[in-house]
Amino acid sequence: MTENEQWFIALSWMPYLGRKEKMRSIKEILMERDGLDEDTAEELIQQAKDEFHELLEEGRLLEAEDICMTHFGLEPDYLEEFF
């Protein structure tokens, strides 16, 4: 990943940083919303993280940005857990 790509990702998440209200974690949402046990939720999250990092390495930034929607039906602001 180039330095410009790293800056693009960092700047695109600036509005979400410093948020005052605490968001629930992806794991909490999966367990509560989907009725998953902790181990299953953690496994799904790890799979999404692995795919996210692969997409970044391949320079597929828009797909990486949509990973939470694709895997969990969640907004991109949950990506902060992947860093």
Side-chain angles (χ1 to χ4, degrees), residues 3-64:
E3 187 174 340
N4 284 341
E5 291 169 331
Q6 291 173 348
W7 276 107
F8 171 79
I9 292 169
L11 291 175
S12 68
W13 293 106
M14 292 297 285
Y16 302 109
L17 300 176
R19 181 179 325 127
K20 292 186 182 184
E21 70 278 356
K22 173 151 176 15
M23 289 178 27
R24 293 183 304 159
S25 70
I26 295 173
K27 183 168 76 172
E28 291 171 331
I29 292 170
L30 293 177
M31 292 175 67
E32 184 178 312
R33 182 191 71 187
D34 300 342
L36 300 179
D37 62 54
E38 185 173 358
D39 291 336
T40 303
E42 288 175 355
E43 183 178 322
L44 292 175
I45 293 165
Q46 188 59 53
Q47 290 172 1
K49 284 181 181 181
D50 293 344
E51 184 177 338
F52 173 74
H53 291 288
E54 286 175 23
L55 291 168
L56 288 179
E57 287 177 12
E58 295 171 4
R60 297 163 56 188
L61 303 179
L62 294 177
E63 290 176 68

